[in-house]
């Protein structure tokens, strides 16, 4: 990505195997066994976040970028990264007063993020620590792609790196 952020792809074996042609192995995380009807797509997303945070423990922040949304604008990602690294421990994007995605978490939430096991855990974390809105001019943050992919479409996590 042109943002200078480290990208990690979390997904089932079928996705991460295919992605090996585009990303180095240290940027791929396979979550085997999570892709059954026993897990909701949100639980899988949360498990992916937890695994990616653990794999990038030295990052100053993480941006959860679900695969079912359009690619955010460069400025959206840099604004969100700046907010979670320097201003707010948890931040989300907002477009025209609508809460959007992605969501960013500062490194102070490392322990909580690696302990997440499902959607309820993430909701509890966000209830305890309210998120600050980062107003952006990117309408894609409030859109979802109309894809009919099987459960377990990949989730992307960007580990924000300090810019010089």
């Amino acid at each position: 990505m042109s943002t200078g952020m480290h990208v990690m792809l979390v997904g089932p074996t079928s996705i991460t195997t295919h992605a090996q042609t585009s990303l180095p192995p240290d940027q791929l995380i396979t979550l085997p066994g999570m892709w059954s009807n026993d897990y909701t797509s949100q639980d899988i997303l949360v498990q992916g976040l937890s695994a990616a945070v653990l794999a990038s423990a030295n990052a100053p922040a993480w941006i959860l970028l679900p695969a079912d949304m359009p690619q955010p604008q460069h400025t959206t990602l840099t604004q969100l990264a700046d907010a979670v690294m320097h201003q707010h421990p948890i931040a989300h994007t907002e477009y025209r007063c609508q809460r959007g995605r992605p969501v960013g978490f500062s490194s102070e939430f490392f322990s909580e993020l690696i302990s997440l096991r499902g959607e309820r855990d993430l909701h509890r974390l966000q209830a305890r620590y309210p998120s600050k809105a980062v107003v952006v001019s990117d309408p894609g943050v409030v859109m979802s792609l109309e894809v009919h992919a099987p459960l377990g479409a990949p989730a992307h996590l960007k580990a924000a790196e300090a810019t010089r």
Side-chain angles (χ1 to χ4, degrees):
M1 282 232 104
S2 60
T3 60
M5 293 181 219
H6 183 77
V7 175
M8 299 196 77
L9 178 88
V10 180
T13 305
S14 60
I15 299 291
T16 56
T17 299
H18 179 70
Q20 288 175 349
T21 60
S22 304
L23 293 171
D26 67 332
Q27 291 180 267
L28 299 170
I29 299 174
T30 302
L31 292 179
M34 291 288 303
W35 315 103
S36 69
N37 290 332
D38 296 336
Y39 298 93
T40 68
S41 59
Q42 288 300 307
D43 286 339
I44 293 168
L45 185 69
V46 171
Q47 286 286 314
L49 170 62
S50 181
V53 167
L54 187 59
S56 59
N58 293 325
W62 298 275
I63 297 175
L64 177 61
L65 178 59
D68 69 343
M69 65 177 291
Q71 178 66 42
Q73 297 172 4
H74 177 274
T75 55
T76 297
L77 295 175
T78 55
Q79 284 178 267
L80 187 59
D82 183 61
V84 294
M85 287 193 298
H86 304 294
Q87 300 164 17
H88 309 288
I90 300 178
H92 65 274
T93 54
E94 183 177 289
Y95 175 75
R96 293 188 178 174
C97 299
Q98 294 179 61
R99 187 182 180 117
R101 300 180 300 174
V103 176
F105 301 90
S106 74
S107 60
E108 74 182 72
F109 288 102
F110 175 81
S111 295
E112 288 91 343
L113 292 171
I114 64 168
S115 299
L116 297 175
R117 294 296 167 247
E119 183 179 14
R120 285 185 181 162
D121 294 339
L122 182 59
H123 287 304
R124 285 184 192 123
L125 175 67
Q126 290 177 309
R128 274 196 317 263
Y129 304 99
S131 178
K132 176 69 176 170
V134 176
V135 178
V136 298
S137 59
D138 181 354
V141 302
V142 294
M143 296 178 187
S144 288
L145 297 176
E146 290 297 323
V147 293
H148 299 286
L151 183 63
H156 302 277
L157 180 89
K158 299 188 182 304
E161 295 178 352
T163 54
R164 298 184 211 278

